Amino acid sequence: MKLLYIDDDDDIREIAELSLAIDPEYRIWTAASGREGLDLAAAIRPDVILLDVMMPEMDGPETFAALAQEEDLRAIPVVFVTARTQNHQVAELQSLGAAGVIQKPFDPLSLAEQVRGCLADNFGC
Amino acid sequence: MSNVVHTRALVDLTSRPAIRSLVVAAIAFSAMLIFAASGIWLTREAGRIATIWVANAAIVSILLTQARELRVVILVSALLGNICANTLMGDAVTIALALSLCNLVEIVLVCVALQRLRPNVDFTALADLVPFAIVAGFIAPAVSALLAAIFLYTVKTASFLDVLETWFASDALGQLVFVPLFATLAEKGLTKDGIEPLVRPRALGWLLLNAAVAILIFAQDTMPLLYLGIPAVMLVAFRIGTTGAVIANLTMTVVAIGLTLAGHGPVHLMQGGLSEKMVTLQGFLAICVFVSLSISAYLADRQRLEARLVSTVSELEDANEAKSAFLSTVSHELRTPLTSIRGSLGLVNAGVTGQLPDKSANLIRIAHSNSERLVRLINDILDMEKIASGKMDFDIRPVALREIVQSAIETANNYEVEKKVKILLIDEAAHAVVHADADRLHQAITNLLSNAIKFSPQQGVVRVLLESMGDRAKISISDEGPGIPLAFQKRIFGKFEQADSSSTRQKNGTGLGLSITKSLIEQMSGTIDFVSSEGQGTTFTLSLPSIFKPSNEKIGLPSTGGRAVLACVIDGAIATLLHRQLLEQGYSSDQAPDMGSARLLLESRRYEAVIIDIDILGDQIIEFFDELRSSAQNADIPVTIISASVGKSKDILNGQAVGVIDWLAKPVDPAHLRHSLARLIGAQGPRRPRILHVEDDNDVVQVVAAGLGQDVDMVFAKSLSEARTALLEGDFDLVILDIVLPDGDGLDLLQELGTETKVIVFSAIDGNLTAPVHTILTKTRKSEADLAVCVRSLLAGKDADQRGKGAR
């Protein structure tokens, strides 16, 4: 399963990559900005995209909207990963049509599992 | 009067001090001249009943509203004006001078006293109004009147008392009515603040009403209507405040004096002399003024207080808003670096990057557990903040208490696993449905469980008791910890409170848990309480509104009436299935995931039956049954065993008279389970005693059945073989046995009966039986009624010493 992680924080990208690698099913790509993420997504066609919310220039929801504009990319489930964890903030992200919202700081050992959970919920609906 | 009203505007225009002084001097002079002349005319010419001396009040007002350096100019101009007025009205210059000086003394006294007491007199403040009333309404006019009376008495041999009375009354009234009027008008004057409240239709209405009442009182000559005047001015004071009150008073005064002078009004109805009438009118007007100004000042005070409160509240709201925003931002800013820290430590600690040397591993473990703690702390702080600012949403709806508690226990079972603390759930509120937010209640219970585990000793036990009391459900969580120190008990629900607040404290925690729990529970209309004594453990009790009814029609389940079954099963799915099926049959269930829990639960509560998975018993199976059967409480408790290989398990227990009611094969089939449960506990209500009557005489069978009544289950067997079949199908509490049967000796059955089954031999044979039975009754000697009594007493457990006695 191809997974794309988009986050402007270098350290968090590295840790997320290591955390997700615990699950051998995942092949992981990372991008440091929304723009880079969009290009990479178009190139590799991931099965799921993990998207940071607070990013300079193009933030998470903007990147999400841009993905939805692309015919080929709009079907890819997107899971937001955010440090803004208040109920209304999470609800806002969900209302955009995200497959799930994972809160930062995430548990590195169960991140892969959480992503699977989000996808299962999504397809279950 | 209008001169003074415009004074300020005019003076403001004149910026040059010389011109300004000149203008003020002219105003003071002319005000004194006009008011004094008219005042003298009132007192001397128009009869003395209605007198009011406005002149002094006008000068006091000018002094109060103008700069201090103009005082001398104002006073000199006023003195000159007064002398002129007196001279014009026919006084000699010396007398005019002396009387003017008397007025001057009053003016100076009022001004000095007022400015000593309150530098800036405000007639809308009660604190200013009272000293004003004392000085201007009493002391100053009294001094002035005394001086004038002495002078006129000596020089003109006038009546001392008459002068004193008239002078005092007219001056005091003038001060009381006009100083507030002039000062208020000069202060607010033609400004927007001053006029706006007056020109509203309602305000005008109140003022007109007041004027109408004044005219009504003083234009008629038949009724003593003075009492109507006071409520009239009070109403205006209430509705329009100080400005309205001074105008209402002016209206009342002008109408009263004018019409009284014209010979109308209630004062003329009075008996008595001039002076009594004068005192009445002056007194009436003085009271109108004092009451209305007091009311308006009191109201103004309240309004100022309200305004201050409103602004304080809005400042606090702003500050709170800022605090929330700050906390939210800070917690977000903390989360981002914490993601890296927690992530790195979590990965290294889990060995993802390879094994570390022991010392390093320990340090990483410490760092990791503290980063986890930091995450919890941030979450707790945000929760706290959300609760405090009322931003936490509660989705209150009916939820099944047991499910939430069960799930909270599952969560808590992951805490401090190495401590091996057991959590036991004792459910005495099987159907309890509470009004709560499921997530928040889960959070609250998990918090309490985590606390209980934290303070439990190694391998301690945490008991969770669910109870139902009318419209409340109670959840009690007890630990075997050290208890809460008495000194700390009062602060226990405070924020950041921990009993051991030393820097070396042993217990990890944020100190916010209980505070959050309390807030959560209270937001759901619940209460939280605790009982604790040092060394005795602690019990926290939550009480929540519930919709439990003894027989819960809503969910269509029978009441459990406190009856419970102990379920010792490993498989969660079977546990859930059991719980549901037992509920349907009117039983609550407690679950024990291991032998230890099962033992503890059997000690702490009376159960109707036990269902146990043989895998839980393991090689302690014999020991367990020995224990069970030798305990007083559970000696005859029915047991169903669940096993993957029933045959093998039966072999293990072979020869052991353990009283197993039933065997269930794994995997458990729901239909079989239901069937087995029915056998274990009876289909409904408390278990009915099952009696096997082995008898070949149909008449005896019927008579015995009639004697025993409806509340026992009777099974009949006419022969040994029928009896054997019946015994294979189920266990019996009691067997009534005939000895002579068509196919053999009834006593042969005895070997096939479990030790738990009580036996009554009811036979025609009158022999000396030595069989191991409870009672032997001989048909010819004992009636069926005796048999029924005997059955009842055996079923009730009173089998002692019955054996054999009936035979003789």
Side-chain angles (χ1 to χ4, degrees), chain B residues 750-808:
Chain B
L750 289 177
Q751 294 159 10
E752 287 156 63
L753 295 172
T755 53
E756 295 310 306
T757 312
K758 289 158 182 158
V759 180
I760 298 174
V761 171
F762 191 52
S763 168
I765 292 179
D766 187 1
N768 191 3
L769 284 172
T770 52
V773 298
H774 292 83
T775 310
I776 297 167
L777 300 174
T778 308
K779 280 182 184 166
T780 49
R781 301 187 180 188
K782 296 285 172 181
S783 69
E784 283 74 17
D786 291 325
L787 175 63
V789 170
C790 184
V791 167
R792 294 259 169 242
S793 73
L794 273 180
L795 287 176
K798 296 178 210 150
D799 56 340
D801 302 323
Q802 287 282 326
R803 181 169 303 207
K805 278 185 186 168
R808 303 278 159 245

Side-chain angles (χ1 to χ4, degrees), chain B residues 53 56-57 60 102-111 113 131-149 163-177 179 282:
Chain B
W53 187 259
N56 291 2
V60 167
C102 291
N103 281 330
L104 202 65
V105 166
E106 183 186 313
I107 292 167
V108 171
L109 265 178
V110 173
C111 285
F132 164 76
I134 294 170
V135 175
F138 185 73
I139 298 174
V143 171
S144 170
L146 197 63
L147 290 174
V163 175
L164 185 69
E165 197 176 39
T166 318
W167 191 286
F168 171 74
S170 54
D171 276 27
L173 188 62
Q175 294 279 5
L176 284 179
V177 176
V179 174
Q282 307 291 73

Side-chain angles (χ1 to χ4, degrees), chain B residues 28-38 40 44 53 76-101 103:
Chain B
F29 177 80
S30 45
M32 189 49 132
L33 181 67
I34 294 163
F35 288 131
S38 52
I40 293 165
R44 295 186 190 167
W53 187 259
V76 170
S77 312
L79 184 66
L80 287 175
N82 199 345
I83 294 169
C84 288
N86 274 59
T87 321
L88 277 176
M89 297 307 289
D91 282 343
V93 180
T94 44
I95 291 176
L97 177 65
L99 295 181
S100 301
L101 282 171
N103 281 330

Side-chain angles (χ1 to χ4, degrees), chain B residues 697-710:
Chain B
D697 184 341
N698 207 30
D699 292 341
V700 176
V701 166
Q702 283 184 17
V703 173
V704 169
L708 285 172
Q710 297 297 312

Side-chain angles (χ1 to χ4, degrees), chain B residues 259 306 333 397 611 758 799:
Chain B
L259 288 172
E306 273 169 32
E333 292 304 324
R397 57 177 73 203
I611 299 170
K758 289 158 182 158
D799 56 340

Side-chain angles (χ1 to χ4, degrees), chain A:
Chain A
M1 189 172 347
K2 286 187 276 189
L3 183 149
L4 172 61
Y5 190 102
I6 308 173
D7 195 320
D8 63 311
D9 189 313
D10 299 345
D11 296 338
I12 295 180
R13 269 205 318 281
E14 193 176 334
I15 284 158
E17 205 172 340
L18 276 168
S19 305
L20 291 163
I22 293 176
D23 188 333
E25 290 272 298
Y26 285 117
R27 288 164 61 204
I28 302 140
W29 281 262
T30 63
S33 71
R35 178 59 48 209
E36 197 188 317
L38 282 173
D39 295 343
L40 200 55
I44 61 168
R45 299 290 162 84
D47 297 302
V48 56
I49 296 175
L50 264 60
L51 186 53
D52 182 27
V53 173
M54 304 268 279
M55 292 190 289
E57 287 168 35
M58 196 173 187
D59 69 10
E62 279 166 5
T63 311
F64 185 81
L67 281 166
Q69 293 284 317
E70 301 288 329
E71 187 85 21
D72 309 334
L73 304 179
R74 70 174 56 137
I76 302 174
V78 173
V79 175
F80 282 109
V81 183
T82 180
R84 312 179 79 186
T85 58
Q86 280 171 304
N87 283 356
H88 66 97
Q89 293 167 332
V90 172
E92 261 168 47
L93 294 175
Q94 267 159 348
S95 71
L96 292 176
V101 180
I102 293 175
Q103 302 190 350
K104 282 183 188 173
F106 50 75
D107 173 14
L109 301 181
S110 67
L111 182 62
E113 210 173 297
Q114 272 182 283
V115 173
R116 277 190 191 283
C118 290
L119 295 181
D121 284 352
N122 198 39
F123 297 138
C125 285

